[in-house]
Amino acid sequence: MTNSFVSTHTNKKANSKTKEIKKNSLSFGCLNMSKEVIEEGQAHHHGKDYVDPPPAPLFDMAELTKWSFYRALIAEFIATLLFLYVTVATVIGHKKLNGANQCDGVGILGIAWAFGGMIFVLVYCTAGISGGHINPAVTFGLFLARKVSLIRAVAYIIAQSLRAICGVGFVKAFMKHYYNTEGGGANSVATGYNKGTALGAEIIGTFVLVYTVFSATDPKRSARDSHVPVLAPLPIGFAVFMVHLATIPITGTGINPARSFGAAVIYNQDKIWDDQWIFWVGPMVGAMAAAIYHQFVLRAGAVKALGSFRSNPTN
């Protein structure tokens, strides 16, 4: 009798324990599923494992008084010069060798590697000084995401464009004959394609690049994926490489208004200037789309703003 009572009591206790475990498991599962929502919606929560930098002010006149601002401009200036010199020289060299012998030259693959490799090297060298933009479209995208001020964005774009002209100018000075006869490394719509197709290719190509820039430099990603080491310049360089493989046959691949503008100024042909708008409008639209997608969809910026609006008792 006693044994039966003890057994029954033990079974009840075990069943109660099992129910409690199931209940806790269910609660844990629900908490697990809602973890991301809670973290996204409560930026002030003490458990947050990453820190977003504060938005850059639209006008920051104090920047003009700091040496770091001018040092960043110099870094962008020199980086864009080196980028244009090496990449355009690669294009001209390939065309020269390929014209003499169809089996010579680095080919599209080599040109793509030159552009992607130089971006990897230069972003690595300048990221800690200027952010390593080297591209007005990247600067524009980061400005829209409030990563840089308007003053810095405008100054960067001017520096990038001016030094792009200098970089292509060096190529012409060193390889004048071949530069003039082999197209000057300038971007234009290739035969067989229309301007709409070229514009679409530039928009998509720049979207890939700027989206990669946002993802590779995202503080949330760095915190959550700390087990996966990310060297930001590497995926950015690979993005440039892959986009060049896809769009060289269509436009010669712009995705960088400074690169296209510098080559257009030095080569100075009507066809190049007629198509020049494509290499400004396309990259800027692509950069805008990437900024909106990353900030308002992936990082749920719109949801956070709406949640903040709803939680405000004055609304």
Side-chain angles (χ1 to χ4, degrees), residues 81-93 164-180 184-185 266:
L81 182 151
L82 296 174
F83 175 65
L84 266 293
Y85 171 72
V86 171
T87 54
V88 174
T90 301
V91 172
I92 301 301
I165 296 171
C166 296
V168 181
F170 279 130
V171 177
K172 184 173 182 178
F174 297 156
M175 311 169 69
K176 186 171 184 179
H177 173 70
Y178 295 108
Y179 179 87
N180 290 330
I266 299 299

Side-chain angles (χ1 to χ4, degrees), residues 112-260:
W113 270 121
F115 279 89
M118 279 304 290
I119 287 296
F120 168 70
V121 170
L122 294 171
V123 171
Y124 179 82
C125 292
T126 60
I129 301 169
S130 66
H133 298 192
I134 320 171
N135 184 336
V138 171
T139 301
F140 181 62
L142 293 174
F143 164 68
L144 293 178
R146 300 290 302 278
K147 306 293 185 184
V148 296
S149 69
L150 178 61
I151 291 174
R152 184 174 289 262
V154 171
Y156 273 21
I157 290 172
I158 292 172
Q160 291 156 356
S161 300
L162 290 177
R163 214 47 178 172
I165 296 171
C166 296
V168 181
F170 279 130
V171 177
K172 184 173 182 178
F174 297 156
M175 311 169 69
K176 186 171 184 179
H177 173 70
Y178 295 108
Y179 179 87
N180 290 330
T181 58
E182 300 297 345
N187 293 122
S188 63
V189 180
T191 304
Y193 296 95
N194 59 46
K195 291 186 178 182
T197 301
L199 181 63
E202 289 295 311
I203 291 172
I204 294 172
T206 310
F207 178 92
V208 171
L209 169 59
V210 178
Y211 173 41
T212 304
V213 170
F214 275 113
S215 298
T217 58
D218 189 343
K220 179 178 178 181
R221 178 189 178 92
S222 299
R224 301 295 170 79
D225 297 343
S226 57
H227 60 288
V228 182
V230 177
L231 181 62
L234 185 60
I236 295 170
F238 262 108
V240 172
F241 166 69
M242 297 304 294
V243 170
H244 273 76
L245 288 181
T247 56
I248 283 176
I250 304 172
T251 62
T253 308
I255 69 171
N256 184 335
R259 174 261 187 273
S260 302

Side-chain angles (χ1 to χ4, degrees), residues 300-311:
V303 174
K304 292 177 187 176
L306 182 60
S308 176
F309 178 81
R310 284 178 172 172
S311 64

Side-chain angles (χ1 to χ4, degrees), residues 36-37 40-41 50 144-145 207 211 214-215 218 220 288-306:
E36 186 66 26
V37 175
E40 291 289 352
Y50 67 95
L144 293 178
F207 178 92
Y211 173 41
F214 275 113
S215 298
D218 189 343
K220 179 178 178 181
M288 181 187 299
I292 292 171
Y293 175 62
H294 185 269
Q295 294 298 104
F296 292 98
V297 178
L298 299 186
R299 290 301 303 274
V303 174
K304 292 177 187 176
L306 182 60

